[in-house]
Amino acid sequence: MRSSWYNKLVLIVGPRPRVHWLLVCLVSALVLIALLGSSSSNAFDSVTASARPDIYTNYRRLKEQAVSDYLELKNLGANRLKDFDLCGRERENYVPCYNVSANLLAGFKDGEEFDRHCEVSRDQQYCLVRPPKDYKIPLTWPSGRDVIWSGNVKLSKDQFLSSGSMTKRLMLLEENQISFHSDDEMIDGVKDYSHQIAEMIGLGSDSEFREAGVRNVLDIGCGFGSFGAHLLSLKLMAICMAAYESTGSQVQLALERGLPAIIGNFISRQLPLPSLSYDMVHCTQCGIFWDDKDGMFLIEVDRVLKPGGYLVLTSPRSRQRASKGKIPVPFEEFTRKLCWNLVAQQEDTFIWQKTTDPQCYVSSRQGTFPLCNGEDSLPYYKPLAQCISGTTSKRWIPIQNRSSGSLSSAELAIHGINPDDFSEDLDLWRSALRNYWSLLSPLIFSDHPKRPGEEDPMPPYNMVRNVMDMSAHYGGLNTALLEAKKSVWVMNVVPLGERNTLPIILDQGFSGVLHNWCEPFPTYPRTYDMLHAKGLLSHIASGRCSIMDLIFEMDRILRPEGWIIISDKLGPVEIARTLATQLRWEARVIDLQNGSDERLLVCQKPFVRK
């Protein structure tokens, strides 16, 4: 029996025709509905609906009929909106806001020319960032975590050969692939290194990290993500953060492997993270001179570390030379002023633990850095501060004292969230995810051959490796994906101007950042498999930002054949749908039929070549 879902699914395969052709389309759609049958049930109730296994039994036939009807009407003379052109080859790996030449001309120096400056170097062109000539769709997990197509990233053989010995041990450049060695092929590999860190903080093995309160890790200068990949296998969220690089980018290679990564600098500005964000900060030969700028880089690490959290440095750099295995004097003085305790040292690996006592900063006889004012201010790329923050926060809870599972009622109360509201929000996302996945499964597999008599494949667990939730709220979509055992990770983004819910997202052990969607996101092109945005278009439209700029940015960061799900009001969805057709996306508008003007816009980005 056909579901009423089909009676409310509108396929939009091309640009909007003129008004009289819209009437013809409407009549054709009504005839099609009459043929398919009707039902009174709601199509997509986000709170109470459950996924039905036969919801797309005749999806292909419906899709083919709708496409055929539309193309026939279109050929009768409807005007076509002009498609946007492809950008030049020079923009294949374009990352806005990181134009060193423009920054130098604007007067930035002393390393600040490498920092993010959207106000100076953003060059908005309404064109589609094309994939490289030899680009191929990434391999699915788990194989895609260890093997990537060399044509998908900007890394030449000469750059590889000139890299350090550690890089050569971790990766192998073949004819058209880059293979990352497994731990078993390395003498003192990532597994051994992770086990060493666990032992240094008093654990039996790295499988006990979560029991010790370590759930999320900020990996600064991550190389190509091998340490983070191992931590992910331990159910830890490890996000790579490294500076923008025009070639041989650590962030680009990590994301191409399907690993969490984002562009970020320790130069002149704070990271787009609230205080008390991460349980561990890790840096192995990350190239940062930690004792520069009177210790402000270390103060920034202290700001994002949770009480009782760890800083792990292997071969730390300093302006002042020190004997092998020794800490430079200025570095040691700064850690004392930060009330950090040197937990352990083995050869060139040092581990400090942040104090759990906020009074240490005012009672220490060592002389500490001053305390900051304005604890509630948003740290969105603000200048680095030479003061200690977070000490008066209600979230000052040692990581060892936090609940290991979901947040307790007491922890939710700290964030000012009613447990019933939090539970209701999560139920909504559980239901929405089931419907999303049911919707996407036949679309993803609709053009794939199958043997006679076979049913449609189960929902894809490896077709989508990562999801950016562009307006993440409490992180409910992330939780629902984990509960459903989908092998994906989520970049949770909290838009500037919305309620700052990023602290509760991070306290759940997830990854996330603050971001102003009037600006480009700090990542490379083609780095996400799926983008999800609920209410973001309305948020953008209510400010002074452009929906067109946002849609072009979504196209830049989405890989070819990637997916977009937008949930919003009818007006903004219609604007986005029109733009989507001009960007050559395949776009479908779904009327939720729940008594509101909310609509779903489901799009797939094509693999466009010149």
Side-chain angles (χ1 to χ4, degrees), residues 272-318:
L273 300 168
S275 300
L276 316 180
S277 293
Y278 280 88
D279 305 318
M280 179 181 286
V281 175
H282 171 263
C283 159
T284 297
Q285 299 177 340
C286 57
I288 298 174
F289 289 94
W290 289 105
D291 49 5
D292 269 3
K293 298 195 174 184
D294 297 323
M296 282 199 288
F297 295 155
L298 291 172
I299 294 174
E300 178 65 0
V301 170
D302 182 85
R303 186 182 72 83
V304 300
L305 264 182
K306 294 177 181 177
Y310 300 96
L311 170 64
V312 181
L313 296 184
T314 296
S315 301
R317 299 185 71 182
S318 171

Side-chain angles (χ1 to χ4, degrees), residues 75-266:
N75 291 334
L76 290 176
N79 289 334
R80 180 177 176 81
L81 295 174
K82 182 180 178 181
D83 290 342
F84 290 101
D85 294 329
L86 298 178
C87 303
R89 289 287 181 194
E90 71 280 359
R91 290 202 167 215
E92 287 179 356
N93 296 284
Y94 174 61
V95 180
C97 304
Y98 290 93
N99 188 324
V100 177
S101 300
N103 293 341
L104 285 169
L105 289 173
F108 292 103
K109 57 183 180 179
D110 299 329
E112 292 189 31
E113 65 271 22
F114 300 105
D115 218 336
R116 175 183 170 92
H117 296 288
C118 294
E119 72 283 4
V120 171
S121 56
R122 186 179 177 190
D123 179 19
Q124 180 64 59
Q125 293 185 17
Y126 293 115
C127 58
L128 307 181
V129 176
R130 71 176 78 196
K133 178 182 177 182
D134 297 323
Y135 182 86
K136 297 182 180 180
I137 300 300
L139 301 172
T140 57
W141 275 7
S143 57
R145 203 164 354 197
D146 298 322
V147 179
I148 65 174
W149 301 109
S150 56
N152 290 11
V153 295
K154 196 172 181 181
L155 176 71
S156 68
K157 185 174 294 187
D158 290 339
Q159 288 172 325
F160 169 75
L161 293 174
S162 64
S163 61
S165 59
M166 176 62 76
T167 299
K168 292 188 182 70
R169 289 170 55 205
L170 289 176
M171 53 191 287
L172 175 65
L173 190 64
E174 299 177 353
E175 182 178 355
N176 63 348
Q177 292 182 334
I178 299 175
S179 300
F180 297 86
H181 291 254
S182 67
D183 296 322
D184 295 335
E185 296 171 325
M186 298 173 60
I187 298 174
D188 51 347
V190 174
K191 282 185 179 179
D192 291 335
Y193 177 64
S194 177
H195 187 78
Q196 174 191 346
I197 292 173
E199 289 185 331
M200 290 174 69
I201 63 175
L203 304 178
S205 72
D206 55 4
S207 62
E208 300 175 7
F209 272 136
R210 291 189 67 88
E211 298 174 17
V214 178
R215 293 185 294 177
N216 60 5
V217 178
L218 183 63
D219 191 8
I220 301 171
C222 60
F224 301 131
S226 294
F227 181 60
H230 175 66
L231 293 181
L232 278 179
S233 70
L234 300 176
K235 308 301 183 185
L236 304 182
M237 172 47 67
I239 182 167
C240 163
M241 179 174 285
Y244 166 75
E245 299 163 287
S246 59
T247 60
S249 166
Q250 303 170 69
V251 170
Q252 188 182 39
L253 265 77
L255 284 164
E256 188 62 30
R257 298 179 66 184
L259 303 172
I262 190 172
I263 299 172
N265 293 330
F266 278 79

